Amino acid sequence: QKEVEQNSGPLSVPEGAIASLNCTYSDRGSQSFFWYRQYSGKSPELIMFIYSNGDKEDGRFTAQLNKASQYVSLLIRDSQPSDSATYLCAGEVNEKLTFGTGTRLTIIP
Amino acid sequence: DAGVIQSPRHEVTEMGQEVTLRCKPISGHNSLFWYRQTMMRGLELLIYFNNNVPIDDSGMPEDRFSAKMPNASFSTLKIQPSEPRDSAVYFCASSAPRPLGHIQYFGAGTRLSVL
């Protein structure tokens, strides 16, 4: 079992709708969690990070963390075609990031 | 800020040859990470350095792989001899000292093809 699990998708969402991306982790020592976006052929770029239980909002993006359930999610509101990418979830333990295999998201115009 | 700089961007080599990948971290960052990304295994941490010292190399697949960081602005990842299964995209990332740190910024990557 991988330490960080994501649904590989692909996930298709109509433009303007809410995209919901989910991630579970097994290491309870994980301190922080990160969502990276990766366009095809490009490098990962940070979207959001979260380290406290609850919600964290930044523009159209909301990260949610539930440490009791070992669950992290990313919501993208008002989805745009430019949001089409692979989204990587990562958990941090002592500066080391463990990445999930990513969820491929496609926004349908 | 130029960001994390990796070279070369693409490398095509023949099996058995030595390959050297290079990375220049963001100025002022004191942690540097080498990752490998493949379709099958995703993004995997190979090794990371803190203040030029290797901290964890448990992800290095075998003795054919080695990494060095001779100073704060330069690191290399070497594969000798290379094999076709080493074909992947190799990313370098860096992060700032805590408490500002723990966000990793990635370079553009080196796409390696071993024939």
Side-chain angles (χ1 to χ4, degrees):
Chain A
Q1 180 186 6
K2 282 186 68 72
E3 293 182 22
V4 177
E5 299 266 6
Q6 293 182 256
N7 186 327
S8 62
L11 176 65
S12 296
V13 173
E15 182 176 355
I18 296 175
S20 177
L21 304 165
N22 304 315
C23 172
T24 59
Y25 62 95
S26 60
D27 188 345
R28 287 193 175 273
S30 300
Q31 297 149 321
S32 304
F33 299 88
F34 300 79
W35 283 100
Y36 281 83
R37 177 177 64 197
Q38 187 174 26
Y39 293 115
S40 180
K42 301 296 185 181
S43 59
E45 56 177 331
L46 182 71
I47 298 296
M48 291 192 71
F49 69 92
I50 187 168
Y51 53 84
S52 298
N53 274 328
D55 295 358
K56 179 181 179 182
E57 186 175 319
D58 184 1
R60 295 187 298 112
F61 300 93
T62 299
Q64 299 173 319
L65 173 60
N66 184 324
K67 291 188 177 181
S69 301
Q70 298 176 250
Y71 177 87
V72 191
S73 66
L74 179 70
L75 301 178
I76 306 175
R77 291 181 299 280
D78 188 23
S79 297
Q80 302 296 310
S82 59
D83 295 326
S84 296
T86 296
Y87 288 80
L88 302 170
C89 171
E92 179 203 4
V93 178
N94 295 329
E95 210 172 9
K96 286 177 58 175
L97 293 186
T98 299
F99 285 85
T101 52
T103 298
R104 186 171 177 182
L105 174 66
T106 299
I107 305 301
I108 303 169
Chain B
D1 194 332
V4 177
I5 299 173
Q6 292 187 244
S7 65
R9 291 295 310 279
H10 302 276
E11 177 80 32
V12 180
T13 190
E14 292 186 349
M15 182 174 62
Q17 296 299 305
E18 178 179 295
V19 175
T20 299
L21 311 181
R22 298 172 175 80
C23 177
K24 175 179 169 59
I26 294 172
S27 178
H29 284 193
N30 70 335
S31 292
L32 183 141
F33 307 81
W34 282 101
Y35 291 90
R36 178 173 66 178
Q37 187 173 41
T38 61
M39 288 293 293
M40 291 298 295
R41 300 178 64 88
L43 192 60
E44 299 176 292
L45 178 66
L46 299 177
I47 185 171
Y48 85 94
F49 296 83
N50 184 264
N51 293 323
N52 312 336
V53 176
I55 303 300
D56 188 332
D57 65 355
S58 59
M60 296 286 261
E62 49 196 274
D63 291 345
R64 298 185 297 107
F65 285 69
S66 63
K68 294 181 179 180
M69 191 165 186
N71 57 63
S73 59
F74 183 67
S75 178
T76 59
L77 178 66
K78 185 175 295 186
I79 308 172
Q80 167 63 19
S82 58
E83 297 183 2
R85 59 191 169 127
D86 301 331
S87 297
V89 180
Y90 291 81
F91 289 105
C92 176
S94 69
S95 65
R98 289 185 179 269
L100 297 176
H102 83 115
I103 295 175
Q104 295 184 19
Y105 297 88
F106 284 75
T110 295
R111 183 173 296 275
L112 174 64
S113 297
V114 183
L115 306 178

